[in-house]
Amino acid sequence: MSDSPAAKALLETFGHIVIINLPERQDRRRAIEAELSKAGIAPGHPAVTFFRAIRPEEPGGFPAIGVRGAFLSHLGVMEMMLAKGWDRVLVLEDDMAFAPGALTRLPIVAAALSTRDWGILYGHPGDRPQHTPAADAQGLITLPADLALIQLHFLGLTRMAAAQMVPQLQAMLTREPGSADGGPMHVDGALNWIRRTTPDLIALAVSPAVAIQRSSRSDIAAARWFDRLPVIRTLTGLLRQMRA
């Protein structure tokens, strides 16, 4: 099943796919496995690892417990990548979905990446088109260091980039909120901070997006009232799936 062009593009480009997932969110696990199956990567593929998302007890200086958990989870994936000696990895959040047409474009993007130097790859161009440079013929954008992007649902990393970012992310954990040197913050903001202060860290984005966030109950934001009631939560989940 992994002989499809999209599967080859993902596996040959990144080598490893790591999915951040809370064990209790089996709904999200099934959904992300279904997305990968669309690309030709079956559940249980040896190149796919599920990273047990971190859910701390306290915010610890972050805006919310979920924000701290997301930060620690992405940091944990980078630390694991370095410990295992992986050269590249594709990090997926479990609410990732492939954008329309993405599976046919992935081989083109992969071919372009093979000829480029890069450290970070965002699977989308961000939400500020008026500030974003035009993509090249293969759909890649070289991001200016001061162009902030949010959402890390599809994030490619090289070992060199992880080695640069891990010490800086760890240092943020030791600082006070609002520190001028960079303290606890949303993890996508932390990566933007690091990109601004690390000029040699090359970040690329894909346009049009190859990945979007699937509509799903958030594990970062505080749960809304209809997500706190079990029966209504189930119905809400079904409605979200119908909209996706």
Side-chain angles (χ1 to χ4, degrees):
M1 191 175 179
S2 58
D3 290 332
S4 74
K8 286 183 177 180
L10 292 173
L11 297 175
E12 291 178 5
T13 299
F14 301 106
H16 303 274
I17 299 173
V18 178
I19 301 166
I20 298 175
N21 170 254
L22 284 166
E24 60 267 29
R25 292 306 303 268
Q26 290 298 304
D27 57 326
R28 286 193 174 195
R29 177 166 181 146
R30 290 189 296 270
I32 192 69
E33 286 179 333
E35 288 297 322
L36 289 178
S37 292
K38 293 177 185 176
I41 301 175
H45 192 286
V48 178
T49 300
F50 277 85
F51 182 89
R52 186 185 182 97
I54 298 170
R55 173 168 277 172
E57 295 295 325
E58 300 292 339
F62 287 82
I65 288 175
V67 175
R68 184 184 180 195
F71 186 105
L72 293 175
S73 296
H74 276 275
L75 173 58
V77 170
M78 294 184 203
E79 292 171 333
M80 180 181 73
M81 176 189 183
L82 296 178
K84 290 183 176 292
W86 292 346
D87 288 327
R88 292 182 180 180
V89 68
L90 174 61
V91 186
L92 301 179
E93 294 179 345
D94 58 8
D95 59 351
M96 189 281 305
F98 289 111
L103 299 181
T104 59
R105 289 188 287 114
L106 282 173
I108 299 171
V109 173
L113 287 173
S114 69
T115 66
R116 300 279 294 273
D117 289 329
W118 61 276
I120 304 175
L121 175 73
Y122 295 86
H124 62 89
D127 58 355
R128 302 168 64 197
Q130 68 275 25
H131 299 291
T132 305
D136 63 21
Q138 289 74 42
L140 292 179
I141 299 169
T142 300
L143 295 172
D146 60 351
L147 179 61
L149 266 68
I150 61 172
Q151 300 178 346
L152 304 181
H153 46 284
F154 184 110
L155 183 71
L157 295 172
T158 66
R159 181 168 55 181
M160 182 177 295
Q164 289 178 295
M165 292 192 291
V166 163
Q168 298 187 63
L169 293 172
Q170 291 171 336
M172 288 179 178
L173 294 172
T174 68
R175 300 184 184 120
E176 294 295 322
S179 167
D181 296 319
M185 65 182 79
H186 286 264
V187 64
D188 44 10
L191 265 59
N192 290 330
W193 186 289
I194 292 171
R195 286 179 39 233
R196 285 197 304 271
T197 57
T198 313
D200 62 336
L201 184 55
I202 300 174
L204 304 179
V206 184
S207 181
V210 293
I212 58 176
Q213 280 190 301
R214 190 177 59 256
S215 181
S216 176
R217 175 169 56 89
S218 174
D219 291 311
I220 295 179
R224 289 168 288 186
W225 68 269
F226 48 76
D227 279 329
R228 293 197 295 266
L229 301 176
V231 174
I232 297 178
R233 182 172 63 212
T234 300
L235 293 174
T236 303
L238 291 173
L239 289 172
R240 284 179 174 132
Q241 292 176 28
M242 293 170 64
R243 287 172 50 198

